[in-house]
mmCIF file of all heavy atoms in Angstrom:
data_model
loop_
_atom_site.group_PDB
_atom_site.id
_atom_site.type_symbol
_atom_site.label_atom_id
_atom_site.label_comp_id
_atom_site.label_asym_id
_atom_site.label_seq_id
_atom_site.Cartn_x
_atom_site.Cartn_y
_atom_site.Cartn_z
ATOM 1 N N ILE G 1 85.615 253.456 116.768
ATOM 2 C CA ILE G 1 85.675 252.224 115.811
ATOM 3 C C ILE G 1 85.075 251.076 116.550
ATOM 4 O O ILE G 1 85.327 250.883 117.822
ATOM 5 C CB ILE G 1 87.109 251.833 115.599
ATOM 6 C CG1 ILE G 1 87.873 252.809 114.630
ATOM 7 C CG2 ILE G 1 87.290 250.480 114.958
ATOM 8 C CD1 ILE G 1 89.241 252.661 114.255
ATOM 9 N N ILE G 2 84.241 250.418 115.913
ATOM 10 C CA ILE G 2 83.556 249.216 116.424
ATOM 11 C C ILE G 2 84.423 248.018 116.166
ATOM 12 O O ILE G 2 84.900 247.707 115.111
ATOM 13 C CB ILE G 2 82.097 249.042 115.873
ATOM 14 C CG1 ILE G 2 81.297 250.146 116.118
ATOM 15 C CG2 ILE G 2 81.521 247.751 116.339
ATOM 16 C CD1 ILE G 2 79.868 250.132 115.402
ATOM 17 N N PRO G 3 84.645 247.220 117.258
ATOM 18 C CA PRO G 3 85.506 246.004 116.997
ATOM 19 C C PRO G 3 84.645 244.946 116.072
ATOM 20 O O PRO G 3 83.419 245.111 115.943
ATOM 21 C CB PRO G 3 85.573 245.424 118.409
ATOM 22 C CG PRO G 3 84.481 245.903 119.162
ATOM 23 C CD PRO G 3 84.187 247.268 118.579
ATOM 24 N N PRO G 4 85.332 243.947 115.496
ATOM 25 C CA PRO G 4 84.616 243.042 114.733
ATOM 26 C C PRO G 4 83.729 242.081 115.550
ATOM 27 O O PRO G 4 83.960 242.102 116.832
ATOM 28 C CB PRO G 4 85.796 242.206 114.126
ATOM 29 C CG PRO G 4 86.949 242.327 114.965
ATOM 30 C CD PRO G 4 86.800 243.747 115.597
ATOM 31 N N GLN G 5 82.984 241.352 114.956
ATOM 32 C CA GLN G 5 82.030 240.476 115.756
ATOM 33 C C GLN G 5 82.878 239.286 116.283
ATOM 34 O O GLN G 5 84.052 239.068 115.666
ATOM 35 C CB GLN G 5 81.018 239.856 114.702
ATOM 36 C CG GLN G 5 81.637 239.114 113.560
ATOM 37 C CD GLN G 5 80.684 238.555 112.573
ATOM 38 O OE1 GLN G 5 80.762 237.484 112.273
ATOM 39 N NE2 GLN G 5 79.687 239.351 112.147
ATOM 40 N N TYR G 6 82.540 238.736 117.361
ATOM 41 C CA TYR G 6 83.154 237.521 117.883
ATOM 42 C C TYR G 6 82.227 236.391 117.927
ATOM 43 O O TYR G 6 81.188 236.509 118.634
ATOM 44 C CB TYR G 6 83.763 237.858 119.356
ATOM 45 C CG TYR G 6 84.371 236.748 120.036
ATOM 46 C CD1 TYR G 6 85.566 236.190 119.614
ATOM 47 C CD2 TYR G 6 83.541 235.971 120.966
ATOM 48 C CE1 TYR G 6 86.118 234.931 120.294
ATOM 49 C CE2 TYR G 6 84.014 234.804 121.525
ATOM 50 C CZ TYR G 6 85.270 234.320 121.182
ATOM 51 O OH TYR G 6 85.758 233.297 121.827
ATOM 52 N N ILE G 7 82.568 235.225 117.479
ATOM 53 C CA ILE G 7 81.660 234.007 117.462
ATOM 54 C C ILE G 7 82.556 233.016 118.254
ATOM 55 O O ILE G 7 83.662 232.573 117.632
ATOM 56 C CB ILE G 7 81.333 233.633 116.044
ATOM 57 C CG1 ILE G 7 80.440 234.727 115.375
ATOM 58 C CG2 ILE G 7 80.507 232.322 116.214
ATOM 59 C CD1 ILE G 7 79.979 234.641 114.077
ATOM 60 N N ALA G 8 82.075 232.581 119.353
ATOM 61 C CA ALA G 8 82.822 231.646 120.120
ATOM 62 C C ALA G 8 83.007 230.200 119.503
ATOM 63 O O ALA G 8 82.131 230.048 118.581
ATOM 64 C CB ALA G 8 82.211 231.406 121.514
ATOM 65 N N ALA G 9 84.043 229.528 119.742
ATOM 66 C CA ALA G 9 84.342 228.343 119.075
ATOM 67 C C ALA G 9 83.218 227.341 119.202
ATOM 68 O O ALA G 9 82.885 226.594 118.146
ATOM 69 C CB ALA G 9 85.628 227.710 119.803
ATOM 70 N N ASP G 10 82.430 227.294 120.357
ATOM 71 C CA ASP G 10 81.287 226.332 120.386
ATOM 72 C C ASP G 10 80.045 227.006 120.056
ATOM 73 O O ASP G 10 78.881 226.399 120.283
ATOM 74 C CB ASP G 10 81.316 225.717 121.827
ATOM 75 C CG ASP G 10 81.256 226.684 122.904
ATOM 76 O OD1 ASP G 10 81.322 227.830 122.649
ATOM 77 O OD2 ASP G 10 81.094 226.281 124.076
ATOM 78 N N ALA G 11 79.922 228.287 119.621
ATOM 79 C CA ALA G 11 78.654 228.878 119.180
ATOM 80 C C ALA G 11 78.361 228.341 117.782
ATOM 81 O O ALA G 11 79.028 227.845 117.070
ATOM 82 C CB ALA G 11 78.940 230.371 119.155
ATOM 83 N N LYS G 12 76.931 228.532 117.553
ATOM 84 C CA LYS G 12 76.463 228.093 116.160
ATOM 85 C C LYS G 12 75.706 229.251 115.534
ATOM 86 O O LYS G 12 74.814 229.883 116.235
ATOM 87 C CB LYS G 12 75.495 226.808 116.350
ATOM 88 C CG LYS G 12 76.139 225.545 116.861
ATOM 89 C CD LYS G 12 75.255 224.462 116.823
ATOM 90 C CE LYS G 12 75.857 223.258 117.256
ATOM 91 N NZ LYS G 12 75.360 222.541 118.361
ATOM 92 N N VAL G 13 75.990 229.592 114.365
ATOM 93 C CA VAL G 13 75.331 230.664 113.498
ATOM 94 C C VAL G 13 74.937 229.888 112.161
ATOM 95 O O VAL G 13 75.741 229.362 111.571
ATOM 96 C CB VAL G 13 76.243 231.624 113.390
ATOM 97 C CG1 VAL G 13 75.548 232.729 112.444
ATOM 98 C CG2 VAL G 13 76.522 232.448 114.762
ATOM 99 N N GLU G 14 73.663 230.064 111.863
ATOM 100 C CA GLU G 14 73.236 229.547 110.648
ATOM 101 C C GLU G 14 72.226 230.602 109.987
ATOM 102 O O GLU G 14 71.423 231.216 110.576
ATOM 103 C CB GLU G 14 72.297 228.305 110.754
ATOM 104 C CG GLU G 14 72.935 227.090 111.440
ATOM 105 C CD GLU G 14 71.971 225.962 111.800
ATOM 106 O OE1 GLU G 14 70.746 226.067 111.509
ATOM 107 O OE2 GLU G 14 72.420 225.020 112.370
ATOM 108 N N ARG G 15 72.367 230.831 108.715
ATOM 109 C CA ARG G 15 71.621 231.706 107.926
ATOM 110 C C ARG G 15 71.228 233.051 108.513
ATOM 111 O O ARG G 15 70.059 233.401 108.775
ATOM 112 C CB ARG G 15 70.331 231.112 107.502
ATOM 113 C CG ARG G 15 70.401 229.656 106.826
ATOM 114 C CD ARG G 15 69.070 229.036 106.476
ATOM 115 N NE ARG G 15 67.992 229.250 107.391
ATOM 116 C CZ ARG G 15 67.892 228.488 108.607
ATOM 117 N NH1 ARG G 15 68.702 227.594 108.909
ATOM 118 N NH2 ARG G 15 66.841 228.802 109.399
ATOM 119 N N SER G 16 72.285 233.662 109.227
ATOM 120 C CA SER G 16 72.082 234.891 109.924
ATOM 121 C C SER G 16 72.977 235.999 109.590
ATOM 122 O O SER G 16 73.985 235.785 109.002
ATOM 123 C CB SER G 16 72.217 234.573 111.446
ATOM 124 O OG SER G 16 71.188 233.648 111.860
ATOM 125 N N ILE G 17 72.632 237.305 109.891
ATOM 126 C CA ILE G 17 73.521 238.406 109.810
ATOM 127 C C ILE G 17 73.921 238.882 111.184
ATOM 128 O O ILE G 17 72.982 239.028 111.973
ATOM 129 C CB ILE G 17 72.709 239.595 109.008
ATOM 130 C CG1 ILE G 17 72.356 239.014 107.595
ATOM 131 C CG2 ILE G 17 73.490 240.798 109.010
ATOM 132 C CD1 ILE G 17 71.404 240.029 106.877
ATOM 133 N N ILE G 18 75.180 238.906 111.405
ATOM 134 C CA ILE G 18 75.635 239.293 112.670
ATOM 135 C C ILE G 18 76.353 240.704 112.645
ATOM 136 O O ILE G 18 77.394 240.759 111.846
ATOM 137 C CB ILE G 18 76.568 238.222 113.286
ATOM 138 C CG1 ILE G 18 76.004 236.754 113.284
ATOM 139 C CG2 ILE G 18 77.030 238.581 114.730
ATOM 140 C CD1 ILE G 18 74.871 236.519 114.009
ATOM 141 N N GLY G 19 76.028 241.633 113.429
ATOM 142 C CA GLY G 19 76.583 242.871 113.318
ATOM 143 C C GLY G 19 77.868 243.118 114.004
ATOM 144 O O GLY G 19 78.266 242.118 114.732
ATOM 145 N N GLU G 20 78.558 244.090 113.600
ATOM 146 C CA GLU G 20 79.910 244.409 114.226
ATOM 147 C C GLU G 20 79.836 244.572 115.631
ATOM 148 O O GLU G 20 78.819 245.124 116.208
ATOM 149 C CB GLU G 20 80.452 245.827 113.530
ATOM 150 C CG GLU G 20 80.797 245.638 112.125
ATOM 151 C CD GLU G 20 81.246 247.010 111.565
ATOM 152 O OE1 GLU G 20 80.634 247.980 111.988
ATOM 153 O OE2 GLU G 20 82.047 246.970 110.693
ATOM 154 N N GLY G 21 80.881 244.168 116.441
ATOM 155 C CA GLY G 21 80.956 244.292 117.753
ATOM 156 C C GLY G 21 80.093 243.247 118.608
ATOM 157 O O GLY G 21 80.089 243.417 119.800
ATOM 158 N N SER G 22 79.315 242.515 117.953
ATOM 159 C CA SER G 22 78.480 241.549 118.599
ATOM 160 C C SER G 22 79.360 240.328 119.148
ATOM 161 O O SER G 22 80.294 239.945 118.562
ATOM 162 C CB SER G 22 77.323 241.008 117.828
ATOM 163 O OG SER G 22 76.372 241.969 117.572
ATOM 164 N N GLU G 23 78.913 239.712 120.207
ATOM 165 C CA GLU G 23 79.506 238.500 120.764
ATOM 166 C C GLU G 23 78.469 237.405 120.816
ATOM 167 O O GLU G 23 77.546 237.458 121.516
ATOM 168 C CB GLU G 23 80.099 238.843 122.120
ATOM 169 C CG GLU G 23 81.064 239.836 122.255
ATOM 170 C CD GLU G 23 81.557 240.298 123.632
ATOM 171 O OE1 GLU G 23 81.578 239.484 124.462
ATOM 172 O OE2 GLU G 23 81.913 241.446 123.852
ATOM 173 N N ILE G 24 78.779 236.311 120.149
ATOM 174 C CA ILE G 24 77.967 235.123 120.120
ATOM 175 C C ILE G 24 78.491 234.038 120.821
ATOM 176 O O ILE G 24 79.508 233.565 120.357
ATOM 177 C CB ILE G 24 77.570 234.783 118.640
ATOM 178 C CG1 ILE G 24 77.029 236.035 117.840
ATOM 179 C CG2 ILE G 24 76.500 233.672 118.648
ATOM 180 C CD1 ILE G 24 75.920 236.709 118.306
ATOM 181 N N TYR G 25 77.860 233.545 121.917
ATOM 182 C CA TYR G 25 78.363 232.424 122.620
ATOM 183 C C TYR G 25 77.446 231.200 122.601
ATOM 184 O O TYR G 25 77.654 230.088 122.918
ATOM 185 C CB TYR G 25 78.631 232.762 124.176
ATOM 186 C CG TYR G 25 79.625 233.906 124.169
ATOM 187 C CD1 TYR G 25 79.227 235.151 124.354
ATOM 188 C CD2 TYR G 25 80.932 233.564 124.272
ATOM 189 C CE1 TYR G 25 80.238 236.062 124.516
ATOM 190 C CE2 TYR G 25 81.884 234.552 124.332
ATOM 191 C CZ TYR G 25 81.499 235.871 124.538
ATOM 192 O OH TYR G 25 82.449 236.828 124.612
ATOM 193 N N GLY G 26 76.166 231.508 122.050
ATOM 194 C CA GLY G 26 75.048 230.513 121.990
ATOM 195 C C GLY G 26 74.786 230.153 120.609
ATOM 196 O O GLY G 26 75.738 230.142 119.809
ATOM 197 N N GLU G 27 73.482 230.163 120.127
ATOM 198 C CA GLU G 27 73.166 229.770 118.741
ATOM 199 C C GLU G 27 72.227 230.750 118.244
ATOM 200 O O GLU G 27 71.315 231.396 118.912
ATOM 201 C CB GLU G 27 72.346 228.335 118.888
ATOM 202 C CG GLU G 27 73.058 227.255 119.261
ATOM 203 C CD GLU G 27 72.279 225.984 119.410
ATOM 204 O OE1 GLU G 27 71.401 225.814 118.509
ATOM 205 O OE2 GLU G 27 72.568 225.084 120.119
#
Side-chain angles (χ1 to χ4, degrees):
I1 291 180
I2 298 175
Q5 59 183 228
Y6 172 76
I7 299 175
D10 56 349
K12 292 187 177 117
V13 176
E14 299 172 2
R15 304 175 331 276
S16 297
I17 298 170
I18 310 294
E20 294 175 321
S22 288
E23 299 175 29
I24 309 299
Y25 300 95
E27 296 180 32

